[in-house]
Amino acid sequence: DWLWDVPKDKAEEIIKMKLATVINAPTMRIHYLAMDRAGRSGKGNPFTNLKVRKAVAHAIDRKSIAKNLVGGASEVIHSACYPTQFGCTQDVPKYDYNPEKAKKFLSEAGYPNGFTTDIYAYRQRPFTEAMMGYLGKVGIKTNLKYMQYKALRGLVWDNKVPLQHMTWGSYSVNDVSAITSHFFQGKRDDYCRDPDVVKWLAEGDQNIDPKVRKAAYKKALSRLQEEACWLPLFSHTKYYAFTKDLDFTPTADEIPRFFTAKWK
């Protein structure tokens, strides 16, 4: 009577055959590409160069991936948080899809012919491979290291990962502290290590005044995008398919509440 995590192509087949009700619902999970600004992964890491990071940001057509691979409810994310979360603002520096600008930044960074790097990922391999294709077009060749999340998380914590395609669902907590503060407060997931960002996030997390919190988070989120520590990619979606006799409403936290469902 009910399915979820239906692959996009299968969901579209079900729609065409009119076999069931199909919903593509947004979730609080976002995809991101993290670059090693802090140099944790060793000497010679090109991502310590701001112009390289900006080149990556301009090289990837996030809108196309969101529309054609993720699903209709997916949207491009410009900030290191989910738009509905308290303190999350999309009023930050943005990077449009511009391959020529990406090539220019690479050349200015000292890589006129590009370079080769490893890219790590653990889910939605087609999304990663699409980004690898876009990076290749501007001269950044990538070797995919695809593995289970637990293994990849260990490598991240052990300073082994120069470039990573990961996701985060914020444990369904609708507050910036559940995502931005997790990744950018100088702890083991922080590959940016910006002292001002650490300070601003602490200010936002420890205050109860909404205005003070929003102001602190805006400064942190803006700096993160100025420095292109992360390239926020797009929101994740989930396809549901269920019998037409069932009245079911999905929620953004990805938890199916069957007690709210009913038969028509």
Side-chain angles (χ1 to χ4, degrees):
D1 296 310
W2 182 91
L3 292 168
W4 72 345
D5 271 345
V6 181
K8 183 175 182 289
D9 58 336
K10 298 301 180 185
E12 290 171 347
E13 287 181 20
I14 295 172
I15 293 172
K16 288 180 181 178
M17 297 173 68
K18 300 180 180 179
L19 293 174
T21 299
V22 176
I23 295 178
N24 179 237
T27 74
M28 284 183 64
R29 182 173 300 277
I30 71 167
H31 290 254
Y32 65 88
L33 199 62
M35 294 169 272
D36 184 13
R37 172 189 186 262
R40 289 174 53 179
S41 58
K43 293 182 179 180
N45 163 29
F47 300 107
T48 57
N49 189 313
L50 174 59
K51 290 186 176 181
V52 169
R53 299 195 301 276
K54 287 187 174 182
V56 170
H58 284 296
I60 297 172
D61 189 348
R62 294 174 289 162
K63 185 176 180 179
S64 179
I65 297 174
K67 177 183 178 181
N68 297 310
L69 293 181
V70 188
S74 177
E75 61 180 345
V76 172
I77 301 294
H78 297 289
S79 198
C81 50
Y82 186 70
T84 66
Q85 289 178 308
F86 178 88
C88 183
T89 175
Q90 299 297 302
D91 182 20
V92 296
K94 297 178 176 64
Y95 299 94
D96 62 325
Y97 172 53
N98 192 325
E100 293 307 313
K101 189 179 291 187
K103 292 177 183 178
K104 182 174 181 292
F105 275 126
L106 278 178
S107 182
E108 292 175 354
Y111 298 97
N113 299 315
F115 59 87
T116 300
T117 184
D118 292 334
I119 182 171
Y120 291 76
Y122 78 103
R123 67 182 291 171
Q124 275 77 44
R125 184 170 181 151
F127 303 175
T128 310
E129 291 176 340
M131 288 187 282
M132 293 170 65
Y134 283 117
L135 291 173
K137 289 179 180 178
V138 301
I140 302 175
K141 298 179 178 63
T142 48
N143 300 314
L144 178 58
K145 305 293 184 180
Y146 193 80
M147 60 193 68
Q148 295 290 325
Y149 174 71
K150 185 176 181 181
L152 177 49
R153 182 184 62 188
L155 291 176
V156 170
W157 293 347
D158 289 338
N159 307 314
K160 304 290 187 182
V161 181
L163 181 64
Q164 50 178 300
H165 168 211
M166 300 277 268
T167 76
W168 191 252
S170 299
Y171 299 103
S172 302
V173 177
N174 211 20
D175 192 281
V176 162
S177 61
I179 179 169
T180 320
S181 299
H182 173 88
F183 286 101
F184 299 107
Q185 280 203 335
K187 300 175 183 177
R188 55 190 178 181
D189 284 298
D190 188 354
Y191 271 69
C192 186
R193 300 294 172 96
D194 185 300
D196 286 328
V197 170
V198 173
K199 178 185 67 176
W200 291 326
L201 290 176
E203 181 182 353
D205 291 350
Q206 297 167 13
N207 206 292
I208 60 173
D209 185 329
K211 291 183 180 179
V212 172
R213 295 190 70 211
K214 285 183 178 181
Y217 290 143
K218 187 177 191 309
K219 286 188 287 187
L221 291 165
S222 296
R223 172 67 65 82
L224 288 171
Q225 294 316 114
E226 287 169 1
E227 290 295 313
C229 295
W230 259 27
L231 175 62
L233 296 169
F234 33 73
S235 57
H236 190 66
T237 67
K238 192 180 288 287
Y239 275 98
Y240 299 79
F242 47 91
T243 178
K244 295 178 181 179
D245 294 329
L246 181 64
D247 185 354
F248 173 82
T249 302
T251 52
D253 59 10
E254 304 177 58
I255 298 173
R257 291 169 172 78
F258 295 117
F259 60 86
T260 67
K262 61 181 181 292
W263 298 110
K264 294 180 181 177

